[in-house]
């Protein structure tokens, strides 16, 4: 069955839809209120390791911007255009200090050699966190990735670079970008060439070259 690593689990709705396919699950959520609900749902299941921290480039602490919708909360404050996008309710309602961890360091300490599905939904930090896993990327020790990705048009969060070009630079040698799922269009699946340039964010499904499709292929934004 294998190992799932899920960064930005929120209260665990999307996590619950994929976790049954794995016998080892690591899930990370920095917002303490969302984490409490996450723990209530999954904390008694021994296959889950739940961590109340933001994955980032290094261990420490950082400001965390909590938004009204609780799903756009981030280590960076969102630009105003994104906050106003389709009535998204992404205005910051409070700032807190959260623990940050270097994901690669944490997984090594846990003895995780292979990640079968890597799911990242951490609102602008996705590329930074993935960079910490370069050793796994270069060795082909990740089977599938489902990654929140931002358009080339502009950064959505101040101080966080999360554009598709950055993911392609890191992944393209060993992974194929199979498709994107458009959250602005009810999860519609498209090829890279058909991603609407006006969409500020979308999710990209990558698969290790030569690997058969797995759970990740059915995921949608």
């Amino acid at each position: 069955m294998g190992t799932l690593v899920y960064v930005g689990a929120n209260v665990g709705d999307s996590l619950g839809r994929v976790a049954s396919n794995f016998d080892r699950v690591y899930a990370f959520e920095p917002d303490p209120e969302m984490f409490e609900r996450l723990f209530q749902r999954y904390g008694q299941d021994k296959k889950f390791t739940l961590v109340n921290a933001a994955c980032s480039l290094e261990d420490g602490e950082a400001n965390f911007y909590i938004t009204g919708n609780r799903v756009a909360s981030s280590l960076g404050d969102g630009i105003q255009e994104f906050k106003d996008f389709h009535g998204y309710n992404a205005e910051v309602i409070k700032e807190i200090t959260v623990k940050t961890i270097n994901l690669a360091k944490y997984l090594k300490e846990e003895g995780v050699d292979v990640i079968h599905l890597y799911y990242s939904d951490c609102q602008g930090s996705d590329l930074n966190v993935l960079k910490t896993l370069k050793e796994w990327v270069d060795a082909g020790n990740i089977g599938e990735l489902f990654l929140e990705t931002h358009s080339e048009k502009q950064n959505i969060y101040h101080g966080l670079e999360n554009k598709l070009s950055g993911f392609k630079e890191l992944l393209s040698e060993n992974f194929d970008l199979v498709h994107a799922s458009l959250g602005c269009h009810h999860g519609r699946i498209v090829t890279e060439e058909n991603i609407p340039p006006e969409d500020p964010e979308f999710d990209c499904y990558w698969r290790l070259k030569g690997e058969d499709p797995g759970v990740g292929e059915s995921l949608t934004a």
Side-chain angles (χ1 to χ4, degrees):
M1 301 230 316
T3 298
L4 165 66
V5 175
Y6 196 123
V7 180
N10 200 263
V11 299
D13 291 341
S14 296
L15 175 66
R17 290 193 284 270
V18 294
S20 61
N21 297 282
F22 302 91
D23 49 26
R24 196 176 186 188
V25 177
Y26 292 90
F28 303 82
E29 172 54 45
D31 184 332
E33 295 176 35
M34 300 300 100
F35 181 81
E36 182 178 355
R37 294 169 60 184
L38 179 71
F39 190 84
Q40 288 172 353
R41 295 176 72 175
Y42 304 108
Q44 305 308 311
D45 190 330
K46 293 183 179 179
K47 81 174 183 179
F48 286 85
T49 300
L50 306 177
V51 183
N52 186 198
C55 296
S56 187
L57 293 172
E58 57 188 24
D59 295 343
E61 292 184 338
N63 290 337
F64 190 70
Y65 300 86
I66 294 181
T67 59
N69 60 18
R70 304 306 280 254
V71 297
S73 303
S74 173
L75 290 173
D77 189 9
I79 63 170
Q80 194 58 48
E81 294 91 330
F82 179 62
K83 293 176 180 179
D84 295 337
F85 186 72
H86 288 191
Y88 194 44
N89 190 22
E91 288 286 351
V92 173
I93 58 173
K94 61 181 175 179
E95 295 179 37
I96 63 173
T97 300
V98 298
K99 177 183 177 182
T100 62
I101 61 171
N102 177 291
L103 182 57
K105 179 181 175 183
Y106 178 88
L107 293 178
K108 283 183 178 180
E109 291 172 350
E110 288 287 313
V112 177
D113 298 318
V114 176
I115 302 169
H116 295 86
L117 173 62
Y118 178 73
Y119 194 129
S120 181
D121 187 13
C122 52
Q123 304 304 314
S125 294
D126 309 83
L127 182 56
N128 278 342
V129 178
L130 186 59
K131 286 178 178 177
T132 73
L133 298 180
K134 191 174 187 302
E135 183 177 328
W136 280 261
V137 169
D138 291 347
N141 285 339
I142 305 176
E144 302 175 286
L145 306 97
F146 192 70
L147 308 169
E148 179 182 303
T149 308
H150 298 165
S151 75
E152 296 298 310
K153 195 173 179 181
Q154 60 185 339
N155 293 322
I156 293 177
Y157 295 96
H158 294 291
L160 295 175
E161 178 72 47
N162 208 52
K163 295 177 181 177
L164 178 57
S165 56
F167 290 100
K168 291 173 71 172
E169 182 178 352
L170 182 62
L171 293 171
S172 291
E173 183 174 349
N174 290 328
F175 296 84
D176 292 320
L177 174 51
V178 180
H179 63 240
S181 177
L182 307 178
C184 298
H185 303 275
H186 308 290
R188 180 162 59 93
I189 302 298
V190 299
T191 60
E192 178 187 349
E193 295 75 16
N194 291 313
I195 297 172
E198 67 273 13
D199 282 18
E201 64 175 358
F202 40 88
D203 292 290
C204 287
Y205 168 60
W206 297 78
R207 188 167 64 234
L208 185 66
K209 291 182 178 178
E211 287 287 298
D212 293 331
V215 176
E217 189 175 47
S218 65
L219 298 175
T220 57

